Amino acid sequence: MSRIGPGSSERVGGSRRRRLGLQPERMRELSLLAIIVVAVLAFSLVFENALSGRFFNRVTTSVAITAVLAAGQTVVIITRNIDLSVGSIVGVTAYLTGEYLGDHPDAGLFLAIGVAVLIGGALGLVNGALVAYGRVPAIIVTLGTLAIYRTWLIEHANSQNITADTLPQWLDELPRASVLSFGEFDIRLTFAVAVLVVVVLQIALGRLRWGRWLYAVGSNPDAARQAGLPAQPLTLVAFVVSGALAGLAGFMFLERFGTITVFAGSGLELASVAAAVVGGVSVLGGSGTVFGAMLGAVLIALLDQSLLRTPQVSEFWRDAILGALILAGVAADFLVGKRLRRRWAESRRSLSLGATSERGAVTDA
Amino acid sequence: MTEPGPYLRASGLSKRFDATQALEDVSLTLHQGEIHALLGENGAGKSTLIKIMTGIHAPDQGTILVRGEPANIRSPADAQRHGIAAIYQEPTIFPDLNVAENIFVGHRERGTVVRWRRMYREAESILATLGVHLDVRALASGLSVAAQQAVEIAKAISLDVKLLIMDEPTAALSAHEVSRLFDQVRHLTETGVAVLFISHRLEEVFEIADRVTVLRDGRLISSNPRDEVTPQGAIQDMVGREMADFFSRSEHQAGDPVLRVEELGREGIFSGVTFEVRRGEVLGLAGLVGAGRTDVALALFGIAPADQGSVDLGGRPLIPRSPGHAMRRGIAYLSEDRLQRGLSLPQSFTSNITLPTLRRYVSRLRLLDSAAERAVADRFRRRLNIRTPSLRTPVERLSGGNQQKTMLAKWLNTQPAVLILDEPTHGIDVGAKAEVHKIIDELARSGMAIILISSDLPEVLAMSDRVLVMREGRQVGVFVRSEATQEGIITAAMGAA
Amino acid sequence: MKKHRTLLAVVAGLALVMAACAEEQQAGGGGGQAEAPGPGELVTIEGGEDMSGVFIPKATDNPVFDQANDGAVEAAEELGAEPASFEGPPSAEDIEGQIQIMTNAVTQGVDAVMISNNAAEQIEPAAQQAQDAGITVVSWDSPIPSGADAGESLFVAQVDFDETGEVMADMALDLLGEEGGEFAILSATPDAANQNAWIEDMEAALEDPKYENLELVDTVYGNDDPEDSYDQALALVDQYPDLQLIMAPTTVGIAAAAEAMQDEDLCGQVLVSGLGLPSDMVEFTLNGCAPEFALWSFTDLGYLTYYATYGIATGQVQAVEGAQFEAGRLGEYTIEPDPTRDNGLRIVMGPFTVYTEENVEEG
Amino acid sequence: MPEWARRWGWELLLAGILIGVLILNVSLSPFYLGVQNVINTFQLSIEKVIVAVIMAFVIVNGEIDLSVASVMAFSASVLAALHAAGAPFGLAVGAALLTGAIAGLFQGFFVARMGLPSLTVTLAGLIGFRGAARILVEDQSIGDFPEWFDRLGQDPLVGRLSFGLLLFLVGIVVAGIILHRTPFGRSLYVIGDNSEVARFSGINVARTKLIVMTSSGFVAGLAGVLFAARLGSVRGDLGQGFELDIITMVLLGGVSIFGGSGTMVGVGLSILIVLNIRNGLGLARFAITTQTGVIGVLLILSVLVPNLVSRFARRRHRGPGPAPPSGGRTTDQGGDLRGREHESQQATVE
């Protein structure tokens, strides 16, 4: 009868179930990969050079910024929060870093990145403090700071743009720098950096104690408190990471576009949330991977770039498709979740034959 | 194995919340390897005591010594450092983390990097010492409550806990799961862990405890080795009155059948439930928690509709599709979960009472007539003797017993033919309990058909005309009042021979 | 208590209605409309009177508009008037922003509004309201479509729009040579009135046999957004392997396209030209990504706008066809009907400057 | 604190702030006083304030609708596209209004029937409906509406009140009555506080949420049509970013972001505050972006201040009433708002 007693060695979350249990994330990533491949093939029928190295380079360069942002966004969403301010943080850091480089042409690459990351991290800290210690919901805080940071930038810039000619020469050459080349296919430095960020974060979230705690806090905040996890500092850290990565993205933005207006980066907050959600990061917190978010970002960039090159479909379809993708992502997330809950209920029944179904039964109804 | 001896000694603990003295001069000693049961009515101060020990509240007065050293426990983390951990009725697991992570998540000393393989190995070995076999890589969201509780105990072991506080850990478990849990607890005490065990189920307490302590009104009433305590004595200590005071049921005569239920069932939840309730009759639904009693009620109330069998209400067939539908046909259901399903806490006393029947209080323009609402609420306030500062007071400011009566008023106001009461006296004080019983009796006398779901066996026996017993989703017997005994019902409910 | 709540809402609502219905129309301010000389006479605009004004750019995020404001401030100082308040929406897509500023200007009772209209007809009700209140409304850079019917007194055009098409066609010819080749246009937004007029004009100019080898393959829109323009430019290159030139009649588009070509090492292959701001383009002109482009002076445009507006608002100039006036250092102008609109008057400022590596650093 | 002060504390505070803002405005700008300015203030934001009224319903109901600005653009685009395609204008208006309702219904389906969080669903809507608008009008500006339509949006209808303003004034009064004086309104509060309680009280939660989300879409669509009339033309980016002002108006009005509390009087007062702040700053020649930044600050403060106040109050005064023998859970976590004391109440029962 009992399946967890000493006499019975039957496994409650048996190995079959384990594969099913852990699988959703992997499944999600695999299916995203499949969708990406199918999309590339489909677009290759529509316009010529979808399989060319050149197109590959276009997609990878344009995905770099969103992928970095989506990685940061993932960290925040895992803790059951959201960061809508990243678009403005990108703008502020791109602008200020550009200004800094204009004033200090001798500053090197790493110093410039350091400045950008520091500024971004500081802005993230403000968000994090308000959410973790002020206990204002993240959506409110970051909707507010989205406006506030942008306003500050506009005031600060006094309608002066950062232009390419004020920037040091090495910055101009950065977008063309490749780490590796296979014929026409380049791995551009920016893309390599984005991949590096994703890999590092993926490992950190998977293997660092604090990484697992971030999942724990998002998965069950009450339990996290009872387990004595530092929930508030963790939330703060998540926002700082997101801000710092937005700062890095701001630097990438600067080196890519050269010209920075006070509206640089606006709208990227939605793209990053979209990438994360499409990539299987659960908006309920506690689950999802940075790698999935990266795939989400790739899919979105692929759509963007392909639609620009598909004369039959106007590029204006982009946002509509993006909205549909998010909805599909969330719905898939929930259907999986629902199945899990149902399985849970079943396992409870099989354990105790009708015992404790009182709660389970209602949630199914 | 550690030497037995006092692990924690609390002396003179007091805690005050505004006007309420939650705890007054309580002293308690918990020995290693001993299972110490803590008994008390709701509001007796058990939770406050636990919260002080786990660092959630600070005591106003008193000291705690751990292993003879003064301990300043200010946070759950402090408690953890002193080897104190608590397990609650609803396990606090992380559904998105796997079993091994759930066991080790609170560990701070395990380094910055998670070493998965070692963690899995250690998790497996801890679970093995408990005699539990779980896949340590499975996500916790897929586990049963019992398995989750096993994970919690494993977590406590992994933290090298020296004092494990278990707050009603058996409330959501089946009988078999409870006995497995007790095996696990005994494993623990053999290694010298002190256990503070809180339960409302006396039989469990007497089965497992080495020592029984009773709190009442924030004071320690008695603390004796189990062998020197009898259930009756413990109950008297808890309530301070004779048991006979509680239950009153006047002479009465049941009328015509109102509700007839035949072979009712819901796939995978419960099946084969057949009964009828007459006017003026109280039908008790007994069984262990989780035996499917609430599921029957939810089916009748249209929350989780039945998919087998038939229901006949007042001579007409009824397939309740939704609570609104069931209500319109004259069924009312007072939920066991007052806070999550019963009352809207920030809403006023009046709005809570009129909530299901709002459409009755509209004027010509279909606007709410608040005077009429208040009149009704006031009537119930007097009739049920509900103490509320005003009719507009949010119910969150009422005491548990008055909240419970408010809920009762809310459902009585729907003027139901059949009133289903699910644990109507759960978590309220003794005085309020007696009042509720009196109300039930009056309602039955006035001709209402009542289904009473209760885990409190004496209550069921005293109040019911007939008792239907369920076990594991099935109906296992119906006892008429004259034949019903505690032993008979328990035997049926537990399926024990 | 509930009753009170509703009552309060009703009272609040009623109070507002009553406040609104009562009270008379607020009197409009505006400069004294003295007897103005008729058409034909040359008026030299002179200072002395004060004029309060608002100078509204399409957006505050584009430096060209700052230059325009610099010109306006310069003019105000010459005329001894208080410089106009420089207020604009944050982005050119923010139509409501301009409407709000125009509406507030009425409330503030200024004498004149100088606006570079960032939309189409949307501004007209507010402009009409302004004129009704006695405010002189002059548009510059981008006109109000209904002109005088919507309260506009005058449009100060930067260049003759007919000239723009030819200038662009000439630059294309110059860059691609006699043998010609494929080129594409990267514009601002599809509804940007100026750009559309210029593109139309260029297409007309291309009919001339001397441009017969120039083949316009596509027109795309970068929405005056650097990132969009950048992506669009690259998409053009991918889509048309034989593309040799991107012509961008917008300062944002041309800079973004040049940046994109530079980033992708395409400068030798695909050239960029169009209308650009010298300070944005120096680098690309010198390194050959955008060897040649054109623009007019925004500073002068602002200067002229202020002069013309001042003349009209102080009654020295009548906003009628044929009126002539002298505007400080820029010399003489004659008000003429605007051929691009049904009922609008305009003055045309003057020629393009074509920038190459020789003069770009001075610009 | 007397009962009425406790109950109306937030509204009183808002009234105080409003008076402060008015005084400040008068001192900042000599142009401020004047009926036309009051009318202009509303007229310039008429779409926002109309949507704010329905947004109050959505948030009281425990949901949020981030998509309103995009739905406005979508339905206005339907109007414009149909008009440009030569459809009868009345039909185009009808279709536009229907579009808003359908967009709301669509999102409502996911929220109410599938139980997805409205935050995400409407975030998808925010992007998706904007995209749909762009598909319809691309980057053009479509105008040339019939004269009467433009007049409806621009000219006064009764006295000096435009159609939109009248609609708003009538709307907010009706909305206040519905919210506070009807069974439907009461059920919104209960659902927002605890939807299980509502369900167990016989309220059809899913249907109520569907109605609210659909109404939100419909009103947003209506606002989109009004916007088209006021501007005389439609572009795909119409209304972009409006959600900031709209949500600020509602939350500042004292509607809890977690649902279940707030009054229409509060929302009305906060609408006046937000409008007057924008107006005052505009008249005092602050840039539009500054105004947006100020609104952002206001949004955060409208949640932060009550949080801090209630935390402070709780520290001084541990849980009111006969509450907790067992005390409240630690209050160091969770976004509890404005004395909703859920936590300490939880503890009333063990």
Side-chain angles (χ1 to χ4, degrees), chain A residues 207 209 212-213 219-220 226 228 344 349 351 354-358, chain B residues 92-93 96 101 105 108 112 114 135 143-144 172 268 290 294-295:
Chain A
R207 302 211 56 125
R209 197 182 53 168
R212 302 314 300 168
W213 281 358
S219 184
N220 185 345
Q226 277 177 7
W344 184 24
R349 268 199 293 288
L351 264 167
T356 67
S357 58
E358 273 144 311
Chain B
T92 49
I93 57 136
D96 299 295
E101 284 200 274
V105 72
R108 287 160 174 277
T112 352
V114 178
D135 183 342
L143 301 180
S144 68
T294 295
D295 295 306

mmCIF file of all heavy atoms in Angstrom, chain A residues 207 209 212-213 219-220 226 228 344 349 351 354-358, chain B residues 92-93 96 101 105 108 112 114 135 143-144 172 268 290 294-295:
data_model
loop_
_atom_site.group_PDB
_atom_site.id
_atom_site.type_symbol
_atom_site.label_atom_id
_atom_site.label_comp_id
_atom_site.label_asym_id
_atom_site.label_seq_id
_atom_site.Cartn_x
_atom_site.Cartn_y
_atom_site.Cartn_z
ATOM 1 N N ARG A 207 25.079 25.740 -10.911
ATOM 2 C CA ARG A 207 26.064 25.124 -10.039
ATOM 3 C C ARG A 207 26.424 25.950 -8.823
ATOM 4 O O ARG A 207 27.035 25.428 -7.890
ATOM 5 C CB ARG A 207 27.331 24.818 -10.829
ATOM 6 C CG ARG A 207 27.054 23.920 -12.006
ATOM 7 C CD ARG A 207 28.228 23.048 -12.315
ATOM 8 N NE ARG A 207 28.650 22.254 -11.180
ATOM 9 C CZ ARG A 207 28.769 20.936 -11.202
ATOM 10 N NH1 ARG A 207 28.475 20.267 -12.290
ATOM 11 N NH2 ARG A 207 29.206 20.288 -10.158
ATOM 12 N N ARG A 209 25.646 27.929 -5.401
ATOM 13 C CA ARG A 209 24.641 27.881 -4.353
ATOM 14 C C ARG A 209 23.650 29.031 -4.512
ATOM 15 O O ARG A 209 22.449 28.856 -4.443
ATOM 16 C CB ARG A 209 25.356 27.982 -3.014
ATOM 17 C CG ARG A 209 24.544 27.546 -1.838
ATOM 18 C CD ARG A 209 25.358 27.747 -0.595
ATOM 19 N NE ARG A 209 25.849 29.126 -0.559
ATOM 20 C CZ ARG A 209 26.403 29.664 0.518
ATOM 21 N NH1 ARG A 209 26.568 28.963 1.602
ATOM 22 N NH2 ARG A 209 26.819 30.917 0.493
ATOM 23 N N ARG A 212 21.178 28.413 -7.276
ATOM 24 C CA ARG A 212 20.067 27.524 -6.906
ATOM 25 C C ARG A 212 19.106 28.264 -5.972
ATOM 26 O O ARG A 212 17.909 28.041 -6.002
ATOM 27 C CB ARG A 212 20.580 26.255 -6.228
ATOM 28 C CG ARG A 212 21.544 25.432 -7.049
ATOM 29 C CD ARG A 212 21.099 25.240 -8.474
ATOM 30 N NE ARG A 212 19.805 24.561 -8.584
ATOM 31 C CZ ARG A 212 19.107 24.482 -9.707
ATOM 32 N NH1 ARG A 212 19.557 25.050 -10.808
ATOM 33 N NH2 ARG A 212 17.971 23.842 -9.736
ATOM 34 N N TRP A 213 19.647 29.117 -5.136
ATOM 35 C CA TRP A 213 18.780 29.874 -4.227
ATOM 36 C C TRP A 213 17.852 30.806 -4.985
ATOM 37 O O TRP A 213 16.721 31.043 -4.570
ATOM 38 C CB TRP A 213 19.647 30.668 -3.241
ATOM 39 C CG TRP A 213 20.179 29.813 -2.133
ATOM 40 C CD1 TRP A 213 19.921 28.485 -1.931
ATOM 41 C CD2 TRP A 213 21.041 30.208 -1.070
ATOM 42 N NE1 TRP A 213 20.578 28.038 -0.819
ATOM 43 C CE2 TRP A 213 21.270 29.071 -0.268
ATOM 44 C CE3 TRP A 213 21.638 31.418 -0.723
ATOM 45 C CZ2 TRP A 213 22.080 29.106 0.878
ATOM 46 C CZ3 TRP A 213 22.442 31.453 0.411
ATOM 47 C CH2 TRP A 213 22.659 30.313 1.200
ATOM 48 N N SER A 219 10.642 29.794 -6.663
ATOM 49 C CA SER A 219 9.797 28.608 -6.662
ATOM 50 C C SER A 219 8.810 28.631 -5.513
ATOM 51 O O SER A 219 7.653 28.248 -5.663
ATOM 52 C CB SER A 219 10.682 27.367 -6.580
ATOM 53 O OG SER A 219 9.921 26.206 -6.665
ATOM 54 N N ASN A 220 9.260 29.049 -4.345
ATOM 55 C CA ASN A 220 8.380 29.101 -3.179
ATOM 56 C C ASN A 220 8.955 30.081 -2.162
ATOM 57 O O ASN A 220 9.751 29.720 -1.314
ATOM 58 C CB ASN A 220 8.261 27.698 -2.567
ATOM 59 C CG ASN A 220 7.258 27.666 -1.432
ATOM 60 O OD1 ASN A 220 6.850 28.710 -0.911
ATOM 61 N ND2 ASN A 220 6.845 26.480 -1.043
ATOM 62 N N GLN A 226 11.390 30.303 5.275
ATOM 63 C CA GLN A 226 11.498 29.361 6.380
ATOM 64 C C GLN A 226 12.831 28.640 6.386
ATOM 65 O O GLN A 226 13.343 28.273 7.433
ATOM 66 C CB GLN A 226 10.358 28.353 6.319
ATOM 67 C CG GLN A 226 9.111 28.931 6.956
ATOM 68 C CD GLN A 226 7.943 27.999 6.849
ATOM 69 O OE1 GLN A 226 8.087 26.867 6.416
ATOM 70 N NE2 GLN A 226 6.786 28.479 7.243
ATOM 71 N N GLY A 228 15.411 29.984 5.750
ATOM 72 C CA GLY A 228 16.429 30.954 6.131
ATOM 73 C C GLY A 228 17.247 31.464 4.966
ATOM 74 O O GLY A 228 18.346 31.970 5.157
ATOM 75 N N TRP A 344 0.660 15.083 -10.204
ATOM 76 C CA TRP A 344 0.848 15.170 -8.771
ATOM 77 C C TRP A 344 -0.369 14.575 -8.071
ATOM 78 O O TRP A 344 -0.270 13.721 -7.212
ATOM 79 C CB TRP A 344 1.043 16.636 -8.414
ATOM 80 C CG TRP A 344 1.344 16.877 -6.988
ATOM 81 C CD1 TRP A 344 1.898 16.000 -6.107
ATOM 82 C CD2 TRP A 344 1.113 18.074 -6.283
ATOM 83 N NE1 TRP A 344 2.046 16.590 -4.894
ATOM 84 C CE2 TRP A 344 1.571 17.858 -4.958
ATOM 85 C CE3 TRP A 344 0.581 19.314 -6.603
ATOM 86 C CZ2 TRP A 344 1.494 18.845 -3.993
ATOM 87 C CZ3 TRP A 344 0.523 20.283 -5.632
ATOM 88 C CH2 TRP A 344 0.974 20.048 -4.340
ATOM 89 N N ARG A 349 -2.972 10.151 -5.175
ATOM 90 C CA ARG A 349 -4.013 9.123 -5.070
ATOM 91 C C ARG A 349 -3.405 7.739 -5.009
ATOM 92 O O ARG A 349 -3.779 6.916 -4.215
ATOM 93 C CB ARG A 349 -4.960 9.217 -6.258
ATOM 94 C CG ARG A 349 -6.132 10.085 -5.970
ATOM 95 C CD ARG A 349 -7.237 9.797 -6.928
ATOM 96 N NE ARG A 349 -6.891 10.196 -8.285
ATOM 97 C CZ ARG A 349 -6.825 11.459 -8.668
ATOM 98 N NH1 ARG A 349 -7.059 12.425 -7.829
ATOM 99 N NH2 ARG A 349 -6.522 11.750 -9.905
ATOM 100 N N LEU A 351 -0.747 6.918 -3.952
ATOM 101 C CA LEU A 351 -0.091 6.685 -2.683
ATOM 102 C C LEU A 351 -1.076 6.348 -1.599
ATOM 103 O O LEU A 351 -0.850 5.482 -0.780
ATOM 104 C CB LEU A 351 0.642 7.956 -2.259
ATOM 105 C CG LEU A 351 2.109 8.014 -2.616
ATOM 106 C CD1 LEU A 351 2.611 9.410 -2.428
ATOM 107 C CD2 LEU A 351 2.875 7.048 -1.734
ATOM 108 N N GLY A 354 -7.088 8.112 -2.674
ATOM 109 C CA GLY A 354 -8.146 9.064 -2.347
ATOM 110 C C GLY A 354 -7.774 10.003 -1.223
ATOM 111 O O GLY A 354 -8.450 10.984 -0.993
ATOM 112 N N ALA A 355 -6.712 9.709 -0.565
ATOM 113 C CA ALA A 355 -6.348 10.581 0.535
ATOM 114 C C ALA A 355 -5.939 11.942 -0.007
ATOM 115 O O ALA A 355 -5.377 12.056 -1.082
ATOM 116 C CB ALA A 355 -5.193 9.978 1.313
ATOM 117 N N THR A 356 -6.240 12.940 0.766
ATOM 118 C CA THR A 356 -5.790 14.305 0.509
ATOM 119 C C THR A 356 -6.107 14.814 -0.875
ATOM 120 O O THR A 356 -5.450 15.662 -1.401
ATOM 121 C CB THR A 356 -4.257 14.450 0.695
ATOM 122 O OG1 THR A 356 -3.618 13.708 -0.325
ATOM 123 C CG2 THR A 356 -3.840 13.982 2.039
ATOM 124 N N SER A 357 -7.121 14.236 -1.483
ATOM 125 C CA SER A 357 -7.451 14.748 -2.809
ATOM 126 C C SER A 357 -8.265 16.016 -2.680
ATOM 127 O O SER A 357 -8.581 16.649 -3.661
ATOM 128 C CB SER A 357 -8.230 13.706 -3.589
ATOM 129 O OG SER A 357 -9.388 13.382 -2.871
ATOM 130 N N GLU A 358 -8.594 16.365 -1.492
ATOM 131 C CA GLU A 358 -9.492 17.505 -1.321
ATOM 132 C C GLU A 358 -8.987 18.754 -1.998
ATOM 133 O O GLU A 358 -9.703 19.443 -2.679
ATOM 134 C CB GLU A 358 -9.730 17.755 0.159
ATOM 135 C CG GLU A 358 -10.874 16.907 0.635
ATOM 136 C CD GLU A 358 -10.684 16.406 2.045
ATOM 137 O OE1 GLU A 358 -9.625 15.881 2.375
ATOM 138 O OE2 GLU A 358 -11.623 16.564 2.815
ATOM 139 N N THR B 92 6.870 22.745 3.313
ATOM 140 C CA THR B 92 7.357 23.922 2.596
ATOM 141 C C THR B 92 8.452 23.487 1.640
ATOM 142 O O THR B 92 9.626 23.647 1.904
ATOM 143 C CB THR B 92 7.918 24.934 3.585
ATOM 144 O OG1 THR B 92 8.797 24.235 4.454
ATOM 145 C CG2 THR B 92 6.825 25.579 4.383
ATOM 146 N N ILE B 93 8.022 22.905 0.544
ATOM 147 C CA ILE B 93 9.014 22.444 -0.418
ATOM 148 C C ILE B 93 9.154 23.448 -1.550
ATOM 149 O O ILE B 93 8.343 24.354 -1.703
ATOM 150 C CB ILE B 93 8.623 21.083 -1.013
ATOM 151 C CG1 ILE B 93 7.247 21.196 -1.663
ATOM 152 C CG2 ILE B 93 8.662 19.996 0.030
ATOM 153 C CD1 ILE B 93 7.187 20.550 -2.980
ATOM 154 N N ASP B 96 9.962 23.501 -7.863
ATOM 155 C CA ASP B 96 10.776 23.478 -9.072
ATOM 156 C C ASP B 96 12.178 22.910 -8.843
ATOM 157 O O ASP B 96 12.968 22.832 -9.771
ATOM 158 C CB ASP B 96 10.890 24.887 -9.658
ATOM 159 C CG ASP B 96 9.530 25.436 -10.028
ATOM 160 O OD1 ASP B 96 8.903 24.884 -10.929
ATOM 161 O OD2 ASP B 96 9.086 26.398 -9.387
ATOM 162 N N GLU B 101 17.997 18.685 -3.916
ATOM 163 C CA GLU B 101 18.168 20.118 -3.658
ATOM 164 C C GLU B 101 17.279 20.578 -2.520
ATOM 165 O O GLU B 101 17.667 21.416 -1.705
ATOM 166 C CB GLU B 101 17.788 20.925 -4.897
ATOM 167 C CG GLU B 101 18.809 20.900 -5.970
ATOM 168 C CD GLU B 101 18.575 22.076 -6.891
ATOM 169 O OE1 GLU B 101 17.763 21.911 -7.814
ATOM 170 O OE2 GLU B 101 19.181 23.120 -6.676
ATOM 171 N N VAL B 105 18.937 22.582 0.378
ATOM 172 C CA VAL B 105 18.885 23.974 -0.046
ATOM 173 C C VAL B 105 19.278 24.962 1.054
ATOM 174 O O VAL B 105 19.877 25.987 0.806
ATOM 175 C CB VAL B 105 17.497 24.326 -0.627
ATOM 176 C CG1 VAL B 105 16.459 24.400 0.479
ATOM 177 C CG2 VAL B 105 17.532 25.611 -1.407
ATOM 178 N N ARG B 108 24.288 26.272 4.371
ATOM 179 C CA ARG B 108 25.132 27.398 4.053
ATOM 180 C C ARG B 108 26.602 26.998 4.026
ATOM 181 O O ARG B 108 27.418 27.657 3.420
ATOM 182 C CB ARG B 108 24.943 28.493 5.109
ATOM 183 C CG ARG B 108 23.629 29.182 4.952
ATOM 184 C CD ARG B 108 23.230 29.886 6.221
ATOM 185 N NE ARG B 108 22.017 30.649 5.947
ATOM 186 C CZ ARG B 108 22.029 31.840 5.395
ATOM 187 N NH1 ARG B 108 23.159 32.413 5.078
ATOM 188 N NH2 ARG B 108 20.903 32.471 5.153
ATOM 189 N N THR B 112 30.329 27.416 -2.088
ATOM 190 C CA THR B 112 29.647 28.238 -3.078
ATOM 191 C C THR B 112 29.199 27.423 -4.281
ATOM 192 O O THR B 112 28.255 27.770 -4.970
ATOM 193 C CB THR B 112 30.593 29.328 -3.601
ATOM 194 O OG1 THR B 112 31.766 29.305 -2.820
ATOM 195 C CG2 THR B 112 29.942 30.673 -3.542
ATOM 196 N N VAL B 114 27.787 24.088 -6.091
ATOM 197 C CA VAL B 114 26.964 22.914 -5.821
ATOM 198 C C VAL B 114 27.629 21.694 -6.454
ATOM 199 O O VAL B 114 27.909 21.679 -7.644
ATOM 200 C CB VAL B 114 25.559 23.095 -6.415
ATOM 201 C CG1 VAL B 114 24.725 21.858 -6.162
ATOM 202 C CG2 VAL B 114 24.895 24.323 -5.844
ATOM 203 N N ASP B 135 13.319 9.021 -5.690
ATOM 204 C CA ASP B 135 14.301 9.409 -6.688
ATOM 205 C C ASP B 135 14.780 10.811 -6.346
ATOM 206 O O ASP B 135 14.014 11.768 -6.400
ATOM 207 C CB ASP B 135 13.671 9.390 -8.075
ATOM 208 C CG ASP B 135 14.685 9.718 -9.144
ATOM 209 O OD1 ASP B 135 15.749 10.275 -8.803
ATOM 210 O OD2 ASP B 135 14.415 9.428 -10.309
ATOM 211 N N LEU B 143 5.802 15.138 -6.081
ATOM 212 C CA LEU B 143 5.724 14.266 -4.909
ATOM 213 C C LEU B 143 4.390 14.384 -4.182
ATOM 214 O O LEU B 143 3.755 15.432 -4.196
ATOM 215 C CB LEU B 143 6.833 14.631 -3.918
ATOM 216 C CG LEU B 143 8.272 14.530 -4.422
ATOM 217 C CD1 LEU B 143 9.228 14.918 -3.310
ATOM 218 C CD2 LEU B 143 8.566 13.126 -4.913
ATOM 219 N N SER B 144 4.016 13.317 -3.513
ATOM 220 C CA SER B 144 2.835 13.365 -2.656
ATOM 221 C C SER B 144 3.185 14.139 -1.386
ATOM 222 O O SER B 144 4.356 14.362 -1.084
ATOM 223 C CB SER B 144 2.412 11.961 -2.276
ATOM 224 O OG SER B 144 3.386 11.398 -1.434
ATOM 225 N N ALA B 172 -2.556 16.087 6.944
ATOM 226 C CA ALA B 172 -2.905 15.810 5.554
ATOM 227 C C ALA B 172 -2.513 14.396 5.140
ATOM 228 O O ALA B 172 -2.427 14.089 3.969
ATOM 229 C CB ALA B 172 -2.222 16.836 4.644
ATOM 230 N N GLY B 268 -11.791 8.671 -9.967
ATOM 231 C CA GLY B 268 -10.494 8.730 -9.308
ATOM 232 C C GLY B 268 -10.485 9.418 -7.960
ATOM 233 O O GLY B 268 -9.449 9.470 -7.305
ATOM 234 N N GLY B 290 -9.033 13.344 4.274
ATOM 235 C CA GLY B 290 -8.603 12.806 2.991
ATOM 236 C C GLY B 290 -9.356 11.564 2.579
ATOM 237 O O GLY B 290 -9.038 10.949 1.567
ATOM 238 N N THR B 294 -14.888 15.689 2.026
ATOM 239 C CA THR B 294 -15.015 17.020 1.439
ATOM 240 C C THR B 294 -15.307 16.924 -0.048
ATOM 241 O O THR B 294 -16.039 17.735 -0.605
ATOM 242 C CB THR B 294 -13.733 17.832 1.697
ATOM 243 O OG1 THR B 294 -13.619 18.034 3.091
ATOM 244 C CG2 THR B 294 -13.780 19.181 1.001
ATOM 245 N N ASP B 295 -14.756 15.882 -0.685
ATOM 246 C CA ASP B 295 -15.003 15.723 -2.118
ATOM 247 C C ASP B 295 -16.484 15.506 -2.410
ATOM 248 O O ASP B 295 -17.009 15.979 -3.406
ATOM 249 C CB ASP B 295 -14.176 14.566 -2.668
ATOM 250 C CG ASP B 295 -12.694 14.869 -2.578
ATOM 251 O OD1 ASP B 295 -12.290 15.920 -3.080
ATOM 252 O OD2 ASP B 295 -11.952 14.065 -1.969
#
